[in-house]
Amino acid sequence: MSGTLTVVGLGPGDRRYLTPDADEAINSADALYGYAPYLARVPVRGHQIHYPSDNREEAARAAAALAHATCGGNVAIVSGGDPGVFAMAAAVCEAIETGPEAWRALDVMFIPGVTAMLAVAARIGAPLGHDFCALSLSDNLKPWELIGRRLDAAASAGFVVAIYNPVSRARPWQFGNALGRLRRRLPPSTPVVFGHAVGRSDERVDVTTLDAADGKNADMATLVIVGSRETRVVARPGKPPLVYTPRAAVEVSA
Amino acid sequence: MSGTLTVVGLGPGDRRYLTPDADEAINSADALYGYAPYLARVPVRGHQIHYPSDNREEAARAAAALAHATCGGNVAIVSGGDPGVFAMAAAVCEAIETGPEAWRALDVMFIPGVTAMLAVAARIGAPLGHDFCALSLSDNLKPWELIGRRLDAAASAGFVVAIYNPVSRARPWQFGNALGRLRRRLPPSTPVVFGHAVGRSDERVDVTTLDAADGKNADMATLVIVGSRETRVVARPGKPPLVYTPRAAVEVSA
């Protein structure tokens, strides 16, 4: 009597970004698993049981939810933003590949959501309006040297770069190092956007330049967008500037 | 008596991906502009006037909507997916930068949505679970040589690549050329996902490998995800396979 597992994207903090599809998946679940602050966004409904856990426990959370679903019932794992972008969907797939055969027979669904870089971009204009990369700065699961090479490749090839997980308590210097690395490839005037807690009540979006960007301005709730050579800032009287990357690119040599 | 302009992301086709924020922005608009097939998804409400236009008319559509908003009223431009990803948000910012001074004084808002690559990824597992790029294959607005160099850079650096606009009537050979270029950098077994019309009633998702991928399998409604060296396929008895890119990466040399 096997159940189902649904991995649900909540979008940025506020419920106005929660899609009807995600809302329905949450409503029909008997049990909800997730990183405690994400799970706290979901009101407990009648019969539902919440199983909060710490971050950096993705593998254990995925295993527990899969085991629970295998016993029957509709189980959901909630993720902030989109579950497929540096979040729980990959952890669930990994667990299915390496876990008990029964987990491959489960009905598993993934519900997309608005990921942080889209929410931050929308607050300020269209910095992701042309080719871009999304890169996690966490070196918990990959060597720092690989992250550095990817930053170099992205900047040299003219991609805008959306940086997830710029900083954590255990990773204090990496973001400053990344900015230094990008400064060697991009002009000092390249626009940089710091989106802090976008979609929550304490949200804040700051625009600066690559030479003025300070690694200390990012924390665990920050998503950073570093422009390309094409990214532009449009000043507006009495309003915040717009930052956008034009649809057309002319540069052929990097 | 200046009005407002809101650029709204509808998400993939079905209304179950429309966020409450986007729904509210549409409801409160007096006039709606958009590419005709996207606008057709929005039911006409009482007093609202719809202004459909052709694709490749982004600049003219942005200018008309800005001019309309400057005369007063709440004007919305609708975009499929997310307006900030190869869509109308950049066209609106460009128009504001180059247009009449009055356009800089307008209240302009952007409402994010679920962009195609997130919807396609969710249908098949978590192919975007690690670092990735989003790249438009349209050479209407940038030279093909630049697109080629970006494909090379992304594949060599280990990014998964989400390809928007692989094919159009005016661009029949470019996607096949791109696949050939990627084959020189990536193993023949690299997983490739073709997501056709995802979120619509005729949606179809196919998984193949880079050596077997056929450029003729893409059309204007297709979003293609080409894996990295790390991307894996998990076979499941009686179910479609899962495709995912693990959270951890070990490879340092490309």
Side-chain angles (χ1 to χ4, degrees):
Chain A
M1 84 131 216
S2 185
T4 63
L5 176 64
T6 310
V7 187
V8 183
L10 300 177
D14 195 276
R15 282 186 69 84
R16 69 183 189 270
Y17 299 114
L18 186 73
T19 67
D21 207 28
D23 196 34
E24 189 187 310
I26 292 168
N27 274 327
S28 63
D30 307 310
L32 292 169
Y33 287 76
Y35 174 44
Y38 296 145
L39 207 50
R41 290 191 206 160
V42 181
V44 181
R45 292 172 176 105
H47 62 295
Q48 287 182 338
I49 304 177
H50 280 202
Y51 296 92
S53 47
D54 203 2
N55 63 350
R56 299 185 65 170
E57 290 187 6
E58 288 92 351
R61 183 186 308 134
L66 283 159
H68 190 145
T70 307
C71 300
N74 296 318
V75 177
I77 299 180
V78 297
S79 230
D82 179 83
V85 177
F86 309 119
M88 284 305 296
V92 167
C93 291
E94 280 174 52
I96 291 171
E97 185 176 24
T98 56
E101 197 62 29
W103 292 359
R104 295 194 186 213
L106 264 182
D107 280 326
V108 179
M109 279 153 298
F110 304 90
I111 311 277
V114 173
T115 184
M117 66 181 167
L118 303 183
V120 171
R123 282 293 184 285
I124 198 73
L128 306 178
H130 198 71
D131 303 332
F132 63 92
C133 295
L135 187 127
S136 169
L137 224 58
S138 170
D139 55 356
N140 294 331
L141 292 167
K142 62 189 164 186
W144 179 253
E145 170 54 24
L146 180 60
I147 297 173
R149 285 197 316 108
R150 287 185 181 165
L151 286 167
D152 292 348
S156 296
F159 288 101
V160 172
V161 183
I163 298 178
Y164 283 74
N165 309 316
V167 173
S168 76
R169 256 176 240 120
R171 298 180 292 103
W173 57 264
Q174 283 83 342
F175 179 52
N177 184 296
L179 288 173
R181 200 142 180 164
L182 290 167
R183 284 186 191 110
R184 294 202 293 272
R185 308 263 168 179
L186 293 169
S189 60
T190 304
V192 178
V193 178
F194 285 77
H196 175 81
V198 163
R200 293 177 2 202
S201 57
D202 56 336
E203 82 167 36
R204 202 181 64 241
V205 178
D206 297 312
V207 179
T208 183
T209 55
L210 187 54
D211 63 338
D214 184 344
K216 290 195 278 299
N217 287 342
D219 64 16
M220 285 182 68
T222 307
L223 183 290
V224 181
I225 298 177
V226 179
S228 71
R229 288 167 185 271
E230 315 265 354
T231 305
R232 303 182 60 79
V233 178
V234 184
R236 297 188 298 169
K239 292 188 190 299
L242 292 172
V243 179
Y244 81 100
T245 308
R247 298 164 304 144
V250 290
E251 177 202 36
V252 170
S253 61
Chain B
M1 82 132 217
S2 186
T4 62
L5 177 63
T6 310
V7 188
V8 183
L10 300 177
D14 195 277
R15 283 186 68 84
R16 69 183 189 270
Y17 299 114
L18 186 73
T19 67
D21 206 27
D23 197 33
E24 190 187 309
I26 292 168
N27 275 326
S28 63
D30 307 311
L32 292 169
Y33 287 75
Y35 174 43
Y38 296 145
L39 207 48
R41 290 191 206 160
V42 181
V44 181
R45 291 168 177 110
H47 63 295
Q48 286 182 339
I49 304 177
H50 280 201
Y51 296 93
S53 47
D54 203 2
N55 63 350
R56 299 185 65 171
E57 290 186 7
E58 288 92 351
R61 183 185 308 134
L66 283 159
H68 191 147
T70 306
C71 301
N74 298 315
V75 178
I77 299 180
V78 299
S79 231
D82 179 84
V85 176
F86 308 120
M88 283 304 296
V92 167
C93 292
E94 280 174 52
I96 291 172
E97 185 176 24
T98 56
E101 196 62 30
W103 292 359
R104 296 195 185 212
L106 264 182
D107 280 327
V108 180
M109 279 154 297
F110 304 91
I111 312 278
V114 173
T115 183
M117 66 180 167
L118 303 183
V120 171
R123 282 292 183 287
I124 199 73
L128 306 178
H130 199 70
D131 302 333
F132 63 92
C133 295
L135 187 127
S136 169
L137 224 57
S138 169
D139 55 356
N140 294 329
L141 293 167
K142 62 190 164 185
W144 180 252
E145 172 55 23
L146 180 60
I147 298 173
R149 287 198 314 111
R150 286 184 181 165
L151 286 167
D152 292 349
S156 296
F159 288 101
V160 171
V161 183
I163 297 177
Y164 283 73
N165 309 317
V167 173
S168 76
R169 256 176 240 122
R171 297 181 291 103
W173 57 264
Q174 282 84 343
F175 179 53
N177 185 295
L179 289 172
R181 199 141 181 166
L182 291 167
R183 284 186 191 110
R184 294 203 292 272
R185 308 263 168 178
L186 294 169
S189 61
T190 304
V192 177
V193 178
F194 285 77
H196 175 81
V198 163
R200 293 179 359 204
S201 58
D202 55 335
E203 80 167 40
R204 202 181 64 241
V205 179
D206 297 312
V207 179
T208 182
T209 56
L210 186 54
D211 63 337
D214 185 344
K216 290 195 278 300
N217 286 343
D219 64 17
M220 284 182 70
T222 307
L223 184 289
V224 182
I225 298 176
V226 179
S228 70
R229 288 167 186 272
E230 315 265 354
T231 305
R232 303 182 60 77
V233 177
V234 184
R236 298 187 299 169
K239 293 188 190 301
L242 292 172
V243 179
Y244 81 100
T245 308
R247 298 166 302 145
V250 291
E251 176 202 38
V252 171
S253 61

